Amino acid sequence: MKVNDVILKTVVRMVVFIVLTFGMYLFFAGHNAPGGGFIGGLVLGSAIVLLYLTYDIETVHKGMPFDFKKVAALGVLLATGTAIGSLFFDAPFLTQTDGYFTIPILGEKHLSTVVLFEAGVALTVIGTLVTIILSISEDE
């Protein structure tokens, strides 16, 4: 007997969009309010896990053909790269810099190197979370 889960799949599509939006908000709000790379990564990773729970692994892999171990490794490299990058400018380890830049169309924006570090943390958390969930769910 085939299970009719059209309602579940339709609701999950909307919920995943909302959760991904909230995760990005938490990621970018982390400098001035609670949030940041870790909690943003957890929320973004939970949206991906929700997709895996609703759909089968093959369907999700068609839409997101990522090896999440490589995503975690990229996140670690990005976070450590930005941390070590300060040493090349004779600044203490993990020193950040920021400034206001004029970007065409967007105007003047405040940019900081901390966003790169937080992106590395978020990618590491997403990759690790999804890898753990997928390894637990493997059949053997």
Side-chain angles (χ1 to χ4, degrees), residues 23-45 71-72 74-84 94-97 111-127:
M24 291 305 295
Y25 167 76
L26 285 174
F27 172 77
F28 284 113
H31 305 300
N32 303 318
F38 186 78
I39 190 66
L42 282 176
V43 172
L44 293 170
V71 171
L74 175 69
V76 169
L77 287 173
L78 184 61
T80 56
T82 56
I84 293 172
L94 277 174
T95 300
Q96 68 163 338
T97 185
L111 299 176
S112 175
T113 58
V114 137
V115 175
L116 295 174
F117 177 78
E118 293 287 344
V121 171
L123 288 174
T124 303
V125 170
I126 292 168

Side-chain angles (χ1 to χ4, degrees), residues 16 19 40-53 126 129-130:
V16 164
V19 170
L42 282 176
V43 172
L44 293 170
S46 68
I48 296 170
V49 169
L50 182 61
L51 286 174
Y52 278 114
L53 289 173
I126 292 168
L129 175 69
V130 175

Side-chain angles (χ1 to χ4, degrees), residues 3-123:
V3 177
N4 189 358
D5 54 358
V6 175
I7 295 174
L8 174 67
K9 290 182 179 181
T10 304
V11 169
V12 164
R13 286 181 188 161
M14 292 183 289
V15 168
V16 164
F17 176 75
I18 293 168
V19 170
L20 288 174
T21 304
F22 182 61
M24 291 305 295
Y25 167 76
L26 285 174
F27 172 77
F28 284 113
H31 305 300
N32 303 318
F38 186 78
I39 190 66
L42 282 176
V43 172
L44 293 170
S46 68
I48 296 170
V49 169
L50 182 61
L51 286 174
Y52 278 114
L53 289 173
T54 305
Y55 299 94
D56 57 351
I57 292 177
E58 291 80 21
T59 304
V60 177
H61 278 225
K62 282 184 200 173
M64 288 186 306
F66 302 123
D67 181 6
F68 285 99
K69 292 175 191 162
K70 291 180 182 176
V71 171
L74 175 69
V76 169
L77 287 173
L78 184 61
T80 56
T82 56
I84 293 172
S86 61
L87 298 176
F88 293 115
F89 297 101
D90 292 330
F93 184 69
L94 277 174
T95 300
Q96 68 163 338
T97 185
D98 63 338
Y100 288 90
F101 298 94
T102 302
I103 301 172
I105 299 175
L106 297 176
E108 187 175 36
K109 295 292 176 191
H110 180 252
L111 299 176
S112 175
T113 58
V114 137
V115 175
L116 295 174
F117 177 78
E118 293 287 344
V121 171
L123 288 174

